[in-house]
Every structure is written in structure tokens, then in C-alpha cells.
Amino acid sequence: MPSYFTGLLFGLIFIFSFGPGFFALLQTSVQKGFRKAVFLAFGISLSDMLYVALAIMGLASLLEKPTARMWMAIVGTVILIAYGLYSWFKKPKIYQEKQETDTELSYLKYILKGFVLNGFNPFIVIFWLGIIGLVAVNYDYNGGQQIYFFVGVLTTILVSDVTKAFIAYRLRAMVTPKKILILNRSVGVILILFGLQMIYFLFNNFMIE
């Protein structure tokens, strides 16, 4: 089987992954619309592409350095807790089709948001390094085949993220201001918990000698 199609199938394993990006994706789709959620998903995918590209080019060792991982964890913790608090206090707002004028800048904001939320999560780095190691051990791929494999994996993940956003968008008619408030606060709590998990990661890996 061509490595690209193997990657597509391998990516199905991660369809039910529920990281910070997933909850931000659902929140954006319900409150800001499907199109902006797609740009958020693209930003998430861009950060994944960056880590895979660095690993394939042999620069993964830079990401494995304790100092680099420590600062990524610190920045990621601040981002997740700050966004979690923002979501908690955010006023309920139901998306309307012509509520606001979309601009290139607004779309760029959601790409950047997805990139930052996913990219500064040190667990994402560990995740991709683990997958790359697994592929190196179990698949006899050359450089080109590895690239096609990971393009397949990333394609499946991006398509699944867009599908999740679309389902959330289609269900928005069932959403009331009260449910939006519950969604915002739920997302806020979940992101803060992810931030606390990073603090635990920092403490265990860098604070204890």
C-alpha cells in the first residue's frame, strides 16, 4: 500500500483525540461560524506540519532539549490558563449568519490562534516525536515515503477537525444563550485543567532535581 494511504488510515487513530484545540474548535464553530472554525483548524494543522517537518529534517533534537521544552511549557501554560479564564468570563453570544463582516485579518487571527494553542503545547511535541519514532521502527520508509506518510496522517487529522467543526455548526440551532454560557465555562475549565497539567509537567520534569 502506498505510504500516503497508509498515513491516511493511521491518522484515523487520532480522530477522537480531545486536546485544547478540539474544545476551542467546537467553541469557535458554534459562536463564530463554520468558516472561522476551518481557519482555526488550519492553524492547528500548520503547527503539526511544522513539528513533523522539523523532525524529518533532523531538527527534532532541538525540541528535545530540556530548556526548549521548559519554555514551551511555560508559554503554553500561560496561554491555556489565560484563554480558559477568558472563556469563563466571556458573555454568551449566538452566531448569526451576517453578524459581522469577515476580513482577511479576522481569518488570519483564527489561523494564529489555532497555531499558538496547539504549537505551544509541549505534549504535542512529545506526541509527534513518539509517532515519528514508531514509524521509523515499524515501517521501512525512505525520506520521500516518510513525507507522503505524514502528509496522509495530517490530511486525516485536518479533515476530521473540519468535520467536527461542521457537525458543531449544524447543531448550533439547538444552542441557547444559557447553553453558550455553559459551553464557554466548560471550555474555560477544561483549558485551565490542561494548563494545570502543564504546571505538573513542569514541576516533575524541571523543578525536581
Side-chain angles (χ1 to χ4, degrees), residues 51 54-55 58-70 72 122 125-133 201 205-206:
Y51 289 136
L54 288 175
L59 299 177
S61 58
L62 295 176
L63 300 174
E64 292 179 317
K65 289 184 176 180
T67 303
R69 287 171 62 187
M70 181 184 72
M72 284 186 65
V125 178
I126 296 169
F127 164 79
W128 281 115
L129 291 178
I131 296 301
I132 289 166
F201 171 80
N205 288 273
F206 304 109

Side-chain angles (χ1 to χ4, degrees), residues 89-204:
F89 292 107
K90 188 177 181 181
K91 293 181 179 180
K93 188 177 182 182
I94 296 179
Y95 172 75
Q96 295 176 359
E97 207 68 42
K98 296 183 179 180
Q99 186 175 12
E100 36 183 88
T101 303
D102 295 332
T103 64
E104 290 183 5
L105 185 61
S106 68
Y107 291 136
L108 181 62
K109 180 180 75 173
Y110 284 94
I111 292 175
L112 183 61
K113 178 179 174 181
F115 185 90
V116 169
L117 268 179
N118 196 64
F120 283 97
N121 185 348
F123 299 108
I124 296 297
V125 178
I126 296 169
F127 164 79
W128 281 115
L129 291 178
I131 296 301
I132 289 166
L134 182 67
V135 171
V137 170
N138 292 279
Y139 297 93
D140 187 24
Y141 288 152
N142 59 34
Q145 289 174 320
Q146 278 191 2
I147 291 172
Y148 282 119
F149 175 86
F150 283 108
V151 169
V153 174
L154 291 168
T155 299
T156 299
I157 293 174
L158 177 60
V159 170
S160 69
D161 282 347
V162 171
T163 302
K164 293 169 190 174
F166 180 73
I167 292 171
Y169 175 74
R170 296 300 295 177
L171 294 175
R172 74 194 189 285
M174 301 167 57
V175 175
T176 63
K178 184 177 180 179
K179 290 179 180 177
I180 287 287
L181 181 63
I182 293 172
L183 173 65
N184 285 345
R185 292 191 170 178
S186 298
V187 171
V189 169
I190 290 166
L191 293 179
I192 289 170
L193 288 175
F194 275 115
L196 294 176
Q197 184 185 29
M198 283 197 191
I199 291 174
Y200 179 79
F201 171 80
L202 274 168
F203 183 78
N204 277 347

Side-chain angles (χ1 to χ4, degrees), residues 37-55:
V38 169
F39 280 91
L40 181 76
F42 185 63
I44 292 171
S45 187
L46 277 179
S47 65
D48 286 335
M49 290 178 197
L50 175 64
Y51 289 136
V52 171
L54 288 175

